[in-house]
Amino acid sequence: MARRCSPTWQPQILLTAQGADDILPMAAQATIVQATPSGWRMLLASGWEPGRIKGMCGGEALQPDLAAALQQAGVELWNMYGPTETTIWSSVRRLEAGEIALGGPIAGTQLYVLDATLQAVPQGVAGELYIGGVGLARGYLNRPALSAERFVADPFGAAGQRLYRTGDLVRWGADGKLEYLGRLDHQVKIRGFRIELGEIEAQLLAQPEVAEAVVVAQEGPAGMRLAAYVSLRSAAMPAGSLTAIPAASPSSAADLAAALKSALAGALPDYMVPAAVMVLERLPQTPNGKVDRKALPQLDAPASAYEAPQGNTELALAQIWRELLGTAEVGRHDNFFELGGHSITVLQLHARVKQQLGMDVPHRIYFEQTTLQLLAAALLQHSRSSAETEQQDLLAMDAMLAALED
């Protein structure tokens, strides 16, 4: 952020990862502000009213809700894109209302969207963004292998020219704008499905309660699972505002997490719905204002009031859950999927229940009755219904045989 302190510009660092409260008086005098999306949210959460200034946003993906809030506040918003390896900025674009695009290359810079063989991809097809031009760094200091991996020969330029592989997934839109789709290293593969974490984050950010969201893949009791972290808007703020409130109480946080998972389930395939959602007061940040994914707390199994299993069916089912999910303790109100279960373990659960308990129920029962108590009750009900049907069939057969004898 910079302010005019005299007839000549004297830039001053105003915003840090520690907070924004102490810089509000200086921010009120600013005419040009540059910050990461996290920094912009921090400023708005502190009550700062930007007014008609020029705002430059970069360092992270710009979310539509943040862009809309800044533009509604009168900010002339510019999306700045570029990695450190290409001397910070490589493209700029002044954003119109409702658009998010990376913009065109700055002077002396070339942008290419290429496939794995360094061939240009057609319009509308996703590919990795490569950057060429005079801004490229020579490489990474004392890391020749990494330099060779990320800085490659330019197939479109003269001998000796290079391109930088950004690791960003992009595509050219029908209108000629460059659209950012996410990070290639934020693509994960879980249970055979390739998942773009940014798609899940976008759905979370579309929920009215959510101000910030990040999704990561973590190792859980039953293998890799998705974990979501969110911070919340203030319920008292009007639509479009971005003031974050402290993390919710345990009970309300559990209700919110359930509501968010339900919303995701209605918009995404089941394999893209996180195993659990954690509500934080604020997402952790690196010193330069980006979300620090490595500092996110480990997602534990959702806590619920423990009540021991009751009856032979619940006890036997709990033992199967413990073996499949690797958990030491299973209560009758625990949720199979929140403990780390997924579609593959459902198949294993179905096989074990059929083998060990002699109960063969449709697979949908396991997805509909997700707690130990409800599933045990459904298994018993299905077994009783099957027994009654079998008894009725036998009586009908006896009646048929008796009629034939007469």
Side-chain angles (χ1 to χ4, degrees), residues 71-391:
Q71 289 171 328
Q72 290 171 11
V75 175
E76 179 189 305
L77 188 58
W78 290 74
N79 198 12
M80 317 289 288
Y81 169 83
T84 302
E85 290 85 347
T86 62
T87 321
I88 311 303
W89 303 132
S90 299
S91 75
V92 297
R93 181 177 182 84
R94 181 179 177 179
L95 300 179
E96 303 296 332
E99 76 163 351
I100 300 291
L102 294 186
I106 63 173
T109 302
Q110 300 86 45
L111 305 179
Y112 301 98
V113 183
L114 308 179
D115 62 16
T117 63
L118 297 185
Q119 299 297 311
V121 300
Q123 185 183 78
V125 176
E128 184 174 359
L129 179 60
Y130 287 72
I131 301 177
V134 297
L136 264 66
R138 294 182 178 180
Y140 300 101
L141 182 63
N142 299 326
R143 302 188 68 182
L146 182 60
S147 296
E149 176 187 347
R150 307 307 299 182
F151 293 88
V152 300
D154 184 353
F156 311 105
Q161 292 186 335
R162 300 169 303 143
L163 298 177
Y164 172 69
R165 298 182 55 186
T166 66
D168 287 328
L169 192 67
V170 299
R171 69 183 172 201
W172 292 110
D175 54 4
K177 299 174 184 176
L178 193 59
E179 303 173 16
Y180 177 82
L181 302 177
R183 287 286 302 169
L184 288 170
D185 53 10
H186 289 171
Q187 285 186 340
V188 298
K189 199 170 187 179
I190 296 179
R191 306 196 304 276
F193 295 101
R194 189 170 298 279
I195 298 170
E196 173 55 60
L197 300 179
E199 292 185 34
I200 308 173
E201 293 169 356
Q203 290 294 335
L204 285 169
L205 290 168
Q207 307 308 312
E209 306 91 347
V210 176
E212 299 174 293
V214 65
V215 179
V216 299
Q218 291 183 349
E219 187 69 33
M224 293 299 293
R225 62 178 180 175
L226 296 174
Y229 299 84
V230 300
S231 66
L232 307 180
R233 304 176 194 264
S234 170
M237 296 298 289
S241 63
L242 298 165
T243 302
I245 64 174
S249 64
S251 60
S252 61
D255 292 340
L256 175 62
L260 290 175
K261 288 183 63 178
S262 177
L264 292 179
L268 298 170
D270 67 306
Y271 60 84
M272 294 183 68
V273 178
V277 177
M278 180 179 288
V279 180
L280 303 176
E281 182 174 354
R282 180 174 292 154
L283 298 187
Q285 297 180 11
T286 62
N288 62 356
K290 298 183 180 181
V291 174
D292 188 352
R293 292 172 179 259
K294 295 181 180 180
L296 292 167
Q298 185 68 24
L299 198 62
D300 298 321
S304 59
Y306 177 77
E307 185 177 345
Q310 300 176 11
N312 293 334
T313 302
E314 287 190 15
L315 288 169
L317 196 56
Q319 178 60 31
I320 295 174
W321 282 25
R322 284 193 291 269
E323 294 171 358
L324 285 178
L325 303 178
T327 54
E329 186 177 71
V330 175
R332 67 195 314 249
H333 300 300
D334 287 340
N335 186 298
F336 182 77
F337 295 99
E338 291 181 353
L339 292 178
H342 47 72
S343 56
I344 301 300
T345 48
V346 164
L347 297 177
Q348 298 171 330
L349 176 60
H350 175 269
R352 293 202 186 190
V353 167
K354 182 179 180 179
Q355 179 184 11
Q356 299 179 23
L357 305 184
M359 299 177 177
D360 188 8
V361 300
H363 287 88
R364 63 175 177 79
I365 297 295
Y366 295 96
F367 292 96
E368 295 172 353
Q369 311 299 331
T370 56
T371 68
L372 186 77
Q373 178 188 17
L374 293 176
L375 180 56
L379 291 172
L380 289 172
Q381 177 62 36
H382 191 274
S383 296
R384 284 193 291 266
S385 298
S386 298
E388 292 173 359
T389 301
E390 184 178 349
Q391 182 65 28

Side-chain angles (χ1 to χ4, degrees), residues 34-70:
Q34 177 182 313
T36 64
S38 299
W40 281 107
R41 291 185 187 277
M42 187 185 300
L43 280 168
L44 294 175
S46 299
W48 177 58
E49 298 180 359
R52 297 198 172 278
I53 63 170
K54 178 176 290 187
M56 297 181 291
C57 189
E60 295 174 307
L62 175 60
Q63 296 88 12
D65 69 310
L66 176 60
L70 291 171

